[in-house]
Amino acid sequence: MLVSKSSLLILSFAAVAQLAVSVSHTGYLIDLYCWNRNKNRALDGADMENRPWDHTVHCMRDVDICRNGGFAVLELVGDKYQIKYRLDSTGVSNALYYVDTTSKIRDVIVTVTGTDDGSGTLVSATVVE
């Protein structure tokens, strides 16, 4: 049986679409610049793997390299925090709106809702307290 390339492409897109699912996750909001620093130690001194609640809104909002480095939400796995989802450009815009408008100083727990396409990046996520 011969299958055209366009038929295979359509089937591939259909398979990927079936894997994408809408999810919500509640966790600590962090900027990726600080997460990727030596031993996940943020510029503000927060130990991101063990004490993400110490990471400040000031760091995420007011330090350009952090503000512009992308955002993620964490989950606790065993006794360490790790990234559950990175946020795409829509999620980053919503995270920036959140950090620009929140009255919180630290301990930034948010709920993100978006599409989990299996890549580790949450697509089109909303970000709410």
Side-chain angles (χ1 to χ4, degrees):
M1 172 182 207
L2 288 176
V3 178
S4 71
K5 287 182 183 179
S6 61
S7 295
L8 286 175
L9 187 58
I10 291 168
L11 290 173
S12 295
F13 283 131
V16 169
Q18 288 177 356
L19 294 176
V21 61
S22 180
V23 298
S24 291
H25 174 74
T26 300
Y28 287 99
L29 180 69
I30 54 104
D31 66 272
L32 291 173
Y33 179 78
C34 283
W35 179 261
N36 291 323
R37 285 175 42 89
N38 187 29
K39 297 183 182 176
N40 304 82
R41 183 70 64 167
L43 285 175
D44 60 10
D47 178 347
M48 306 283 269
E49 286 183 320
N50 297 298
R51 299 179 53 89
W53 51 87
D54 290 338
H55 194 44
T56 63
V57 170
H58 163 71
C59 188
M60 293 185 275
R61 181 189 61 217
D62 301 326
V63 179
D64 285 342
I65 199 163
C66 299
R67 180 180 181 89
N68 298 323
F71 287 87
V73 283
L74 302 180
E75 70 173 338
L76 184 61
V77 177
D79 63 348
K80 301 271 187 200
Y81 285 88
Q82 67 181 21
I83 291 177
K84 173 70 173 177
Y85 293 110
R86 285 174 167 71
L87 302 180
D88 73 352
S89 61
T90 299
V92 166
S93 293
N94 291 331
L96 288 170
Y97 178 80
Y98 174 82
V99 297
D100 286 343
T101 59
T102 187
S103 61
K104 293 196 92 164
I105 295 171
R106 61 177 43 88
D107 195 25
V108 182
I109 297 174
V110 297
T111 299
V112 293
T113 302
T115 302
D116 180 350
D117 65 1
S119 71
T121 299
L122 199 59
V123 178
S124 298
T126 58
V127 178
V128 296
E129 193 167 322

